Amino acid sequence: MSSKWQGEQALTLKAAQLAAERPPKPKKDRFLLWMMVFGGLFFIFSVYQLKLNLFVVFEGALTFLQLLTEMFPPSFAQWKHVLPAALESLQVAIIGTAVAILLAFPTSFLAAENLTPHSSISYAIKAFASLLRAIPTLVWALVFIVAVGMGPLPGTLAISVHAYGMLVKMFAQSIEEMDEGVLEAMRATGAGWLQIILQGVLPTVFSAFLAWSIYRLEIDIGESTILGVVGAGGIGWELVHAMRMYRFDEAFFVALVIFAMVYSVEMLSNRMKLRMKNR
Amino acid sequence: MSLDQAKQMRQRKKQMNLLLAFMLVAVTVWSGWETNFSFYTVFLGLGEIYRFILYDFLPPDLSALRVLISPALDTIYMSYVGMVVGSLLSCLLAFLAAGTTSPYPAVQAVVRGLASVLRNIPALIWSIVLVSAFGIGPLVGTLALILTAIGTLTRAYAEVLEEIDMGQIEALKATGAGYFQVIGQGVMPQFFPGFVAWSLYKLELNVRASAIVGMVGGGGLGFMIQKGLKLFQFKEVCMAIILVILIVFGTEWITSKIRERIL
């Protein structure tokens, strides 16, 4: 037994020697160590600042469990309101994404560095797009509600604005990834700006544009389910309404519908990704 | 003969694409019709939107910073705590959810199902449900972010684990390495880059989401935005939105720096 232990000790010693002989990469490791220490300290600080209290969490969890029992079984009584609202969410997502695509398509050619008429235009569009993107969809919805009133319109606008911010960036990126040689060759033939785009760029980037648009639609269907919470149309409102009336079983049904919407989109996109991979 | 076939196939593909395009347009038009969306209304509303943003919103009320700084910090703390707690719990769950490391297929299915439920219900919806149990405050927002983090990260980590090169593990086992040695020397080095990348990505998502969860009582900047709009304090709201933008950009800058250094 002791000899085995000694053998193991010898092995660890040997391993330590080997480790010492390894070419050093201290810079990365030290950075990592500092990151970990800082991350840990910041975590403790954050928990302290938020005044998170395990006892309160525990107490709340008990209340939540009690709430869950009230949620079962889900009540389908309000399906006549809930299902059309779900459909409205879907429609808001579709039309919002479509508008964003329509707007992003022409501007992305101006934003791509290899096609833009002037680099300052490209820079301006990209900065504007990242500004639109940085403000969450729901905040946009709140702003538009004040401007144009409640209903699906502010929701649609909010989705369009946020989706535009992302799509311009992604479209422009796909254009910038193009082979510079193709553009060069077309310029050499004396093709104008529009001709280069129609004949050289569009056929190359079309599938990338399509993929990004579908990806954005996925995100927007998720976003559109929560827009109703602030009154911008769709199913979110039904949930707030049910919770306010303490109809937890109806709220559970709404949550189920929301889950079904987002989940089916995830499934569809997974299958599409798989098909694209296999192609 | 074969040329003919190829021609036919190409034509059929063209027809399919046309049909698909037509269906897309039809669905879009139908959506626009049902929601009463018209470019004309938007065009008419543009003036109002423009006026509202230019005169009611701008310039931001800088004096509101004093009130807003603590909710802004809360937003940062919430997203960070949500990411850290979520990623720690996800690490444990991912081992159960990955096909390569899961002890039983049944456990794997249950954990994956749980993650899917947590992931596919938006953080805001979680907040609405949690508020009635935990009361108003940053705790609700943090919990909602933790739940969605578990949903996203468990799946992501599990996928990283499944893509691990088993040859290296096999080789380590052949040298007589114990369980923890295999984990430490074989699994971790392969798992780590994916772990960091996904965690940072979730932090970015959390920062965006944490501005939102406040609107239903989750604390942070979202609560201030909602309150300000209800009280018509638009210039204060504008300041809050600027803080949201700054936090989002700041986080993206930091995470990109970390990515550069580590990955």
Side-chain angles (χ1 to χ4, degrees), chain B residues 49-118:
Chain B
I49 294 171
Y50 178 74
R51 196 199 60 76
F52 173 67
I53 289 180
L54 215 59
Y55 296 107
D56 285 347
F57 247 67
L58 297 172
D61 181 7
L62 286 173
S63 65
L65 259 181
R66 215 160 25 88
V67 197
L68 289 174
I69 204 81
S70 126
L73 289 175
D74 271 355
T75 300
I76 299 174
Y77 300 145
M78 268 158 56
S79 35
Y80 186 68
V81 171
M83 188 274 280
V84 171
V85 176
S87 82
L88 289 179
L89 293 174
S90 301
C91 273
L92 297 177
L93 289 173
F95 272 95
L96 302 175
T100 41
T101 51
S102 184
Y104 305 105
V107 174
Q108 186 192 354
V110 169
V111 174
R112 288 203 162 224
L114 178 76
S116 165
V117 170
L118 294 177

Side-chain angles (χ1 to χ4, degrees), chain B residues 15 38 42 58 74 85 123 131 135 167 194 199 210 225 241 246 261:
Chain B
Q15 278 172 351
S38 80
V42 176
L58 297 172
D74 271 355
V85 176
V131 155
S199 307
S210 68
I225 292 175
I241 292 178
L246 285 180
R261 287 298 289 270

Side-chain angles (χ1 to χ4, degrees), chain A residues 28 31-32 39 42-43 45-46 49 57 60-61 91 98 133 138 142 146-147 229 239 243 262-263 266, chain B residues 28 30 34 48 52 77 80-81 116-117 119-120 125 132 134 155 208 212 215-216 226 229 234 261-262:
Chain A
K28 191 178 161 189
F31 178 73
L32 203 67
F42 188 63
F43 176 71
F45 178 71
S46 303
Q49 284 289 318
V57 174
Q91 289 159 345
R133 205 166 55 230
L138 209 65
L142 282 172
V146 182
V229 172
L239 184 76
M243 289 300 284
V262 186
Y263 181 70
E266 193 192 87
Chain B
T28 311
W30 167 74
E34 291 274 310
E48 178 61 21
F52 173 67
Y77 300 145
Y80 186 68
V81 171
S116 165
V117 170
R119 176 175 67 241
N120 283 318
I125 305 293
S132 49
F134 291 89
R155 180 177 118 156
R208 286 158 195 270
I212 286 176
M215 289 178 190
V216 292
Q226 176 87 311
L229 283 173
F234 297 130
R261 287 298 289 270
I262 289 186

